[in-house]
Every structure is written in C-alpha cells, then in structure tokens.
Amino acid sequence: MTAAGHHSLVAIAEWAHRCDQAVLARLGCPFDPFAGRFRAPGERTLRDVFARVDPGALTAAGFARLTSLAPSVVGPLGPDGIPEREQRRAHRTSARSPDQRRRRRAFAVDGKCLRGAVRADDSRVFVLTAVRHDDALTTALHEIGTKPTRYEIAPLLDTIDDQDLNDAVVTVDALHAQRAHATYLVEQRKAPYLLSVKSNQPKLSSQLSRLAWKQAPVMDRCRDRGHGREEIRELQVVTVDGLLFPHARQAMRIRRKRRRIDTRKWSTKSVYAVTDLEAHEASPAELAAWSRGHWIIENKIHWVKDVTFAEDASQVRRHRTPAVMSSLRDLARATLHRAGWANIANGRRALTRPEDVLTLHGIP
C-alpha cells in the first residue's frame, strides 16, 4: 500500500476498504462466513499489529522475498521491450573490465533519525540499516530507541548470514569509525572494512593527516557534472603499518574539488579513510568505488524516504510502529526500483489499481 502513495495507517486502512473482494482474497484477508465476504482490516487492527511486528524480521523477510523474485517488468520500457533501467545496467556491466565485474560485494551501514516519531518520554526513534551497494537493497534494519554517543553495528550485522557477509566489504561513515567495530568485522565476521575518519577520532585523524601525502601519487581520479555543479575526486593510497586502528593496512586521502557551474572558484576538502585490505586485495579504483558507493544509502534511500514517502513528517509513535513503517517504506522503494522505476515518485503515481500493487509485489 505504501507503494501506491499512502503514507499513514489511516490511508492504508482506507485503501484496503476500497479494494474489491478478489483483491482482499489475494491479500489473505479473513473470510466472514456470516456476511459471506472477505473483511478488510481497520485502522485499529493495523495499529495493534504494527506495534507488535519486529522491524528487523520484517526487513529480513522483505529482502529474502525481493532476492527470490525475478525483476518485474512494470516500469518504463525501452524500444525492445526491456526496462530502461535494465538496459542501462547491461551497458554499464559490459563496459567494465573483468576485474571490476568480479570485485567484492559491498554493504553500506548508516543510521537515520525518524524525526516525527517522538515518544511520550520525548525520546526519538533511530534506525540503523545495512544496504547493498550494487542494487540498493536493504539487507538488515535495527531499531535504536534513543540516540547513543555511537551506534553499535554488531546487533545489526548479526542478523546477516555469514555466507552473505563473509569477504564482503562493509563501508561506514565517520560516526561508526570505532575500534570495536573494526575488531568485530575482521575477527568475528571475517568481513573487510572501509571506514571514514573525521575529528571524532582525533588521534587517528591527526596521524592520517601527517602521512606522506605529498609524495603519494593520485591513483584514481573522476569528474562529475550535475545539479548545477562540477566535482573532481582524487584518491591517494598509502600502505601503513602501526596505525592507531585495529588491522588497518591501507590509508586513503580523498580530495574533493567542487565548483558551481556559473563560477570559476573551486572549494577543496580532504577526507581520510582506512581499510584492512592489503594493496593486492583492493585496487585504487575499487577503493574509490566503494567510498563513493557508500553514499547510496543517503542519496537513494534516506532522501527518497524523506521526500517521496514523507518519512520525517510521519508522527506514528506507538511501540515498534515507526520502525515498521520505515521498513515498509523501504520495501516499497526497493520493489519499485527493482521493477524498473528510476523515479520512485513516478512509479507510485502509476499504481492506480490495487491489482497493480499486488502484481508489483508478486502476490498471486
């Protein structure tokens, strides 16, 4: 229902009541033998159910469902009948070198505040999510009741199977650049890490800034234009030993140069990152791709949920309901994206019939 443009439990209940009997039967609604018809759930029923659902289990079930289904052909089609998004993906894949096609899978980990979900004790709800870089599928979600000084990623990643996580790179931003997280990833989960480093790790940040960057060559460079600005990203990599961080083997400096298209003035910012991967295990191009790919969680997930699904405006707050609704919004986003819709808002507007929503989700 969230895929069809409904943001609240009231709107979802109204949508269900407008469905005909055939749709309610496909949804598995209970049959009333006395009335001789299927009954749609009311708003109170939805509130009671959503308050008791485990958002982490719901996300895991949605991920398993999406990975088991073939991509639906409901989005915009190209001239040969193949979804436009799949055509673009095929073109990008064919242009890659064999080494790039075989690179490790990467997971981005980041947290988000559900700003409208303020509980009775004035605490806010935070969710921590793990997202695959290559297809933007949310693999795991963990609810955090109040904002801690740092997020603990172990409860989140513990829900991901070893088969999926082993040997996959986990990328996290500076808030998660904690020694305990690096130790957990390498020693317990056998997963390499790529962590950004900022001022929240002052000793490590100072050590990184003093490395011999002037002598280090630029190993990867890319240029992008869009949204009224131009950006150049340059990556330098050095091998390190004795760094003040567990298992660190390489350090990176990424210099971002930006300017507005209508000006000639450039602004430059340098950020640092560390990884436990040796130089022969990860090329500079791969490190640059993983670093840039981490922001898919902000650009394609958090932004879409806030702008297209109005997540920050939602004021549901009972028990687990805020996190459950966040999981459902992400499931709708991922399903539309997998179906070929590059613009999620367009996809939601196109689902005018309940039958289309059920077909989108693969409900027979």
Coordinates of all heavy atoms in Angstrom, one line a residue, residues 63 67 103-107 132 139 157-170 184-185 188-192:
F63 N 13.8 -8.6 2.3 CA 15.0 -8.8 1.5 C 15.0 -10.2 0.8 O 15.3 -10.3 -0.3 CB 16.2 -8.6 2.4 CG 17.5 -9.0 1.7 CD1 18.1 -8.1 0.8 CD2 18.2 -10.2 2.0 CE1 19.3 -8.4 0.2 CE2 19.4 -10.5 1.4 CZ 19.9 -9.6 0.5
T67 N 14.9 -10.8 -3.3 CA 16.0 -11.6 -3.9 C 15.6 -12.9 -4.6 O 16.3 -13.4 -5.4 CB 17.2 -11.9 -2.9 OG1 16.6 -12.5 -1.8 CG2 17.9 -10.6 -2.5
R103 N 34.7 -7.9 -8.5 CA 35.0 -7.3 -7.2 C 34.1 -7.7 -6.1 O 33.0 -8.1 -6.4 CB 35.1 -5.8 -7.3 CG 33.8 -5.1 -7.4 CD 34.0 -3.6 -7.6 NE 32.7 -2.9 -7.5 CZ 32.6 -1.6 -7.8 NH1 33.6 -0.9 -8.2 NH2 31.4 -1.0 -7.7
R104 N 34.5 -7.5 -4.9 CA 33.7 -7.9 -3.7 C 32.4 -7.1 -3.7 O 32.3 -6.0 -4.1 CB 34.5 -7.6 -2.4 CG 35.9 -8.3 -2.3 CD 36.6 -7.7 -1.2 NE 38.0 -8.2 -1.2 CZ 38.5 -9.2 -0.4 NH1 37.6 -9.8 0.4 NH2 39.7 -9.5 -0.5
R105 N 31.4 -7.8 -3.1 CA 30.2 -7.1 -2.8 C 30.4 -6.2 -1.6 O 31.2 -6.5 -0.7 CB 29.1 -8.1 -2.5 CG 27.8 -7.5 -2.0 CD 26.6 -8.5 -2.2 NE 26.0 -8.2 -3.5 CZ 25.2 -9.0 -4.1 NH1 24.8 -10.1 -3.6 NH2 24.7 -8.7 -5.3
A106 N 29.7 -5.1 -1.6 CA 29.9 -4.1 -0.5 C 28.5 -3.8 0.1 O 27.5 -3.7 -0.5 CB 30.5 -2.8 -1.1
F107 N 28.6 -3.6 1.5 CA 27.4 -3.2 2.3 C 27.7 -1.8 2.9 O 28.7 -1.6 3.5 CB 27.1 -4.2 3.3 CG 26.6 -5.5 2.8 CD1 27.5 -6.5 2.5 CD2 25.3 -5.8 2.7 CE1 27.1 -7.8 2.0 CE2 24.8 -7.0 2.3 CZ 25.7 -8.0 1.9
R132 N 23.0 -3.0 0.4 CA 24.0 -3.4 -0.6 C 24.3 -2.3 -1.6 O 23.3 -1.7 -2.1 CB 23.5 -4.7 -1.4 CG 23.3 -5.9 -0.5 CD 23.3 -7.2 -1.2 NE 22.3 -7.3 -2.3 CZ 21.8 -8.4 -2.8 NH1 22.2 -9.5 -2.3 NH2 21.0 -8.4 -3.8
T139 N 19.4 -4.9 3.5 CA 19.6 -6.3 3.9 C 19.2 -6.4 5.4 O 18.6 -7.5 5.8 CB 21.1 -6.7 3.8 OG1 21.5 -6.3 2.5 CG2 21.3 -8.1 4.1
L157 N 24.4 -6.2 12.1 CA 25.1 -7.2 11.2 C 25.0 -8.6 11.7 O 25.2 -9.5 10.9 CB 26.6 -6.8 11.1 CG 26.8 -5.4 10.4 CD1 28.3 -5.2 10.3 CD2 26.2 -5.3 9.1
D158 N 24.7 -8.8 12.9 CA 24.5 -10.2 13.4 C 23.3 -10.9 12.7 O 23.1 -12.1 12.7 CB 24.3 -10.2 14.9 CG 25.6 -10.1 15.7 OD1 26.7 -10.4 15.1 OD2 25.6 -9.8 16.9
T159 N 22.4 -10.1 12.2 CA 21.2 -10.6 11.5 C 21.5 -11.0 10.1 O 20.6 -11.6 9.4 CB 20.0 -9.6 11.5 OG1 20.4 -8.4 10.8 CG2 19.7 -9.2 13.0
I160 N 22.7 -10.7 9.6 CA 23.0 -11.1 8.2 C 23.8 -12.4 8.2 O 24.7 -12.5 9.1 CB 23.9 -10.0 7.5 CG1 23.1 -8.6 7.6 CG2 24.2 -10.3 6.1 CD1 23.9 -7.5 7.0
D161 N 23.5 -13.3 7.4 CA 24.1 -14.6 7.3 C 25.6 -14.4 7.0 O 26.0 -13.6 6.3 CB 23.5 -15.5 6.3 CG 22.1 -15.9 6.7 OD1 21.7 -15.8 7.9 OD2 21.3 -16.2 5.7
D162 N 26.4 -15.3 7.6 CA 27.8 -15.3 7.3 C 28.1 -15.5 5.8 O 29.1 -14.9 5.3 CB 28.5 -16.5 8.1 CG 28.6 -16.2 9.6 OD1 28.5 -15.0 10.0 OD2 28.8 -17.1 10.4
Q163 N 27.3 -16.3 5.2 CA 27.5 -16.5 3.7 C 27.4 -15.2 2.9 O 28.1 -15.0 1.9 CB 26.5 -17.5 3.2 CG 26.7 -17.9 1.8 CD 25.7 -19.0 1.3 OE1 24.8 -19.4 2.1 NE2 25.8 -19.4 0.0
D164 N 26.5 -14.3 3.4 CA 26.4 -13.1 2.6 C 27.4 -12.0 3.0 O 27.9 -11.2 2.2 CB 25.0 -12.5 2.9 CG 23.8 -13.3 2.4 OD1 24.0 -13.9 1.3 OD2 22.8 -13.3 3.0
L165 N 27.9 -12.1 4.3 CA 28.8 -11.0 4.8 C 30.2 -11.4 4.7 O 31.1 -10.5 4.5 CB 28.4 -10.7 6.3 CG 29.0 -9.4 6.8 CD1 28.5 -8.2 6.1 CD2 28.7 -9.3 8.3
N166 N 30.6 -12.7 4.8 CA 32.0 -13.1 4.7 C 32.6 -12.6 3.4 O 32.1 -12.8 2.3 CB 32.1 -14.6 4.8 CG 32.0 -15.1 6.2 OD1 31.8 -14.3 7.2 ND2 32.1 -16.4 6.4
D167 N 33.8 -11.9 3.6 CA 34.6 -11.4 2.4 C 33.9 -10.3 1.7 O 34.4 -9.8 0.7 CB 34.9 -12.6 1.4 CG 36.2 -12.3 0.7 OD1 37.1 -11.8 1.4 OD2 36.3 -12.7 -0.5
A168 N 32.8 -9.8 2.2 CA 32.2 -8.6 1.6 C 32.7 -7.3 2.4 O 32.9 -7.4 3.6 CB 30.6 -8.7 1.7
V169 N 32.9 -6.3 1.7 CA 33.4 -5.0 2.3 C 32.2 -4.3 3.0 O 31.2 -4.1 2.4 CB 34.0 -4.1 1.2 CG1 34.5 -2.8 1.9 CG2 35.2 -4.8 0.6
V170 N 32.4 -3.9 4.2 CA 31.5 -3.1 4.9 C 32.0 -1.6 5.0 O 33.0 -1.4 5.5 CB 31.2 -3.6 6.3 CG1 30.3 -2.7 7.1 CG2 30.7 -5.1 6.3
Y184 N 35.3 -6.3 15.5 CA 34.2 -7.2 15.3 C 34.1 -7.6 13.8 O 33.9 -8.8 13.6 CB 32.9 -6.5 15.7 CG 31.7 -7.1 15.1 CD1 31.1 -8.2 15.7 CD2 31.0 -6.5 14.0 CE1 29.9 -8.8 15.2 CE2 29.9 -7.1 13.5 CZ 29.3 -8.2 14.1 OH 28.2 -8.8 13.6
L185 N 34.3 -6.7 12.9 CA 34.2 -7.1 11.5 C 35.2 -8.1 11.0 O 34.9 -9.1 10.4 CB 34.2 -5.8 10.6 CG 33.0 -4.9 10.7 CD1 33.3 -3.6 10.0 CD2 31.8 -5.6 10.0
Q188 N 35.4 -11.4 14.0 CA 34.2 -12.2 14.2 C 33.5 -12.5 12.9 O 33.0 -13.6 12.7 CB 33.3 -11.6 15.2 CG 33.9 -11.4 16.6 CD 32.9 -10.9 17.6 OE1 31.7 -11.2 17.5 NE2 33.3 -10.0 18.5
R189 N 33.4 -11.6 12.0 CA 32.6 -11.7 10.8 C 33.4 -12.0 9.5 O 32.9 -12.2 8.5 CB 31.7 -10.5 10.6 CG 30.7 -10.3 11.7 CD 29.9 -11.5 12.2 NE 29.2 -12.1 11.1 CZ 28.0 -11.7 10.7 NH1 27.4 -10.7 11.3 NH2 27.4 -12.4 9.7
K190 N 34.7 -11.9 9.6 CA 35.6 -12.1 8.5 C 35.3 -11.2 7.3 O 35.3 -11.6 6.2 CB 35.6 -13.6 8.1 CG 35.8 -14.6 9.2 CD 37.1 -14.4 9.9 CE 37.2 -15.4 11.0 NZ 38.4 -15.2 11.9
A191 N 34.9 -10.0 7.6 CA 34.4 -9.0 6.6 C 35.4 -7.8 6.6 O 35.6 -7.2 7.6 CB 33.0 -8.5 6.9
P192 N 36.0 -7.5 5.5 CA 36.9 -6.3 5.4 C 36.1 -5.1 5.6 O 34.8 -5.0 5.4 CB 37.4 -6.4 4.0 CG 37.2 -7.8 3.5 CD 36.0 -8.3 4.2

